[in-house]
């Protein structure tokens, strides 16, 4: 199993450009999450999904959109990138249920100039 | 979620046990203690969790005091690859939308 993979690993954007980050998991997990981590800080939840075709807002959803058209994929979109969105983005997934741990991807380092 | 307090950093000798403390004095009865770690430039990794009994898995042991106000993560034989930031998280059952809240954590440096 590859676990949770993220594409791309690095990206540099100019202000106003758009892009999509892809998260894929091969563990048949129901729940998927997008977090961002700024230097020296903890994770902040952007959006999450509890199943194919569903999405919900997390702690810091503004400026991002998501889609979960397939169970194994969770896409994070930036329609008009801003320097404040410079961060490391982590995707995670877990099984349904109360106590299951989250499995994280390796992260995408995004810089917006 | 209950607030946790961890020392900001600690060193450990390779091959020795690393004991990482966490204070969670405001923990409530239905909150679990979770430990994750984040190795530099990687995504967080789940280590272990428990409610009130001590727990052990292939990575670590978790010792929770009887009053549940503190806990200790034990890495029995630390290796250089265990150098990471370790996060103690206290929370209720992970309902679907419940995020993981990572505080400051303890930066552990394993030295040869």
């Amino acid at each position: 199993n590859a676990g949770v993979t993220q594409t791309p690993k690095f990206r540099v954007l100019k202000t106003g450009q758009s892009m999509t980050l892809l998260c894929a998991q091969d563990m048949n997990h129901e729940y998927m999450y997008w977090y961002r981590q700024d230097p020296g800080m903890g994770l902040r939840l952007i959006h999450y999904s509890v199943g194919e075709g569903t999405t919900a807002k997390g702690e810091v959803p503004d400026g991002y959109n998501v889609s979960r058209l397939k169970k194994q994929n969770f896409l994070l979109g930036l329609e008009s990138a801003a320097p404040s969105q410079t961060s490391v983005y982590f995707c995670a997934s877990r099984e349904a249920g109360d106590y299951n741990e989250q499995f994280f991807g390796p992260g995408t380092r995004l810089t917006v100039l | 979620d209950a607030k946790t307090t961890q020392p900001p950093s600690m060193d450990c000798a390779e091959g020795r046990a690393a004991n990482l403390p966490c204070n969670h004095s405001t923990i409530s009865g239905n909150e679990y203690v979770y430990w994750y770690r984040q190795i530099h430039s990687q995504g967080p990794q789940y280590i272990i969790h428990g409610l009130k009994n001590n727990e052990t898995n292939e990575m670590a042991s978790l010792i929770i005091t009887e009053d549940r106000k503190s806990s200790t993560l034990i890495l029995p034989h630390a290796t250089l690859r265990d150098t990471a930031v370790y996060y103690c998280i206290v929370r209720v059952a992970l309902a679907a939308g419940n995020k993981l809240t990572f505080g400051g954590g303890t930066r552990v440096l394993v030295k040869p």
Side-chain angles (χ1 to χ4, degrees):
Chain A
N1 285 353
V4 180
T5 58
Q6 294 182 232
T7 309
K9 289 184 169 56
F10 302 93
R11 185 71 186 268
V12 178
L13 290 178
K14 293 181 180 179
T15 297
Q17 287 185 317
S18 63
M19 76 163 296
T20 300
L21 282 65
L22 170 64
C23 175
Q25 53 95 5
D26 61 1
M27 297 173 283
N28 202 35
H29 286 171
E30 287 294 330
Y31 300 164
M32 296 187 74
Y33 304 81
W34 275 108
Y35 293 87
R36 61 178 286 175
Q37 185 174 34
D38 299 320
M41 298 182 67
L43 299 176
R44 292 186 291 171
L45 182 64
I46 305 172
H47 287 280
Y48 65 97
S49 167
V50 299
E52 182 178 316
T54 75
T55 63
K57 293 181 180 179
E59 186 184 7
V60 287
D62 294 342
Y64 305 94
N65 57 74
V66 288
S67 64
R68 183 105 180 265
L69 299 180
K70 294 183 179 180
K71 185 177 183 179
Q72 64 267 33
N73 295 336
F74 195 28
L75 279 63
L76 177 71
L78 285 73
E79 290 186 348
S80 180
S84 61
Q85 294 178 303
T86 294
S87 189
V88 180
Y89 291 85
F90 290 104
C91 175
S93 72
R94 71 175 183 95
E95 296 177 345
D98 289 341
Y99 311 111
N100 295 307
E101 67 270 23
Q102 294 188 20
F103 293 83
F104 285 80
T108 294
R109 186 173 298 275
L110 174 66
T111 301
V112 183
L113 302 177
Chain B
D1 297 337
K3 179 179 170 57
T4 62
T5 302
Q6 298 177 252
S9 65
M10 63 181 296
D11 293 344
C12 176
E14 186 179 19
R16 303 294 294 270
N19 298 313
L20 283 63
C22 180
N23 182 282
H24 32 79
S25 58
T26 60
I27 193 171
S28 59
N30 62 344
E31 289 183 309
Y32 283 68
V33 180
Y34 285 80
W35 283 85
Y36 279 74
R37 72 180 182 183
Q38 189 169 21
I39 297 170
H40 182 63
S41 298
Q42 296 183 23
Q45 178 188 23
Y46 166 84
I47 301 173
I48 200 168
H49 76 279
L51 181 63
K52 53 183 178 181
N53 296 322
N54 298 338
E55 302 287 345
T56 295
N57 63 21
E58 65 278 3
M59 289 184 67
S61 294
L62 174 61
I63 308 298
I64 303 174
T65 58
E66 192 169 341
D67 63 7
R68 303 207 325 121
K69 293 185 176 182
S70 66
S71 60
T72 300
L73 178 75
I74 301 173
L75 307 177
H77 304 286
T79 70
L80 299 180
R81 287 176 293 182
D82 291 322
T83 292
V85 179
Y86 287 77
Y87 296 97
C88 170
I89 301 164
V90 173
R91 62 168 308 112
V92 296
L94 286 176
N98 285 7
K99 65 182 178 67
L100 289 174
T101 301
F102 288 71
T106 297
R107 190 172 297 274
V108 174
L109 176 61
V110 181
K111 296 181 175 179

